[in-house]
Amino acid sequence: MRAVGLITAAIAVGTLLGHPSRQERVDREPTRSVWDSVYTDSQAVRGDPLYQAACGKCHGTTLAGGDDGTPLTGAIFLSNWNGQTLADLYDRIRNSMPPDNPSSIPRGQVADILAYMLARNHFPSGRVVLSDDAARLKDVKFLQSKP
């Protein structure tokens, strides 16, 4: 009977040691990039009017920038975010935009706005909606150039 208990304990310890913790999964290197079709066309379409209402005043209706906001398309924007994750960009939008009312855009709408920005930067769309879950967005690297 004691041997069965020891074997059970050994299996439990082995199982715990063999699987990465949630924190290790979150901190690992992203396995996908913006080039892997991480949003849908319909999500980007939903994001257009949301962007115009919340972001267009500062960043311009064409995302080219304005007096109060930097461009959200083009070489400068792409190089500024190159190598970061979509979670980084999502968090920036979610926590600091719009400047006169930070954190006022609902999470799902931030994901739709981000999908619109990806579309306007000519990243390919796909069949899976871009998530608003931080752990999932950490798994997607923002890469300026296609690998």
Side-chain angles (χ1 to χ4, degrees), residues 70-94:
T70 60
L72 300 177
T73 58
I76 293 172
F77 171 76
L78 294 172
S79 67
N80 284 342
W81 290 98
N82 190 46
Q84 297 188 55
T85 69
L86 281 190
D88 298 322
L89 182 52
Y90 177 92
D91 288 344
R92 173 67 184 255
I93 297 166
R94 174 77 180 117

Side-chain angles (χ1 to χ4, degrees), residues 93 97 100 115:
I93 297 166
M97 298 295 153
D100 61 348

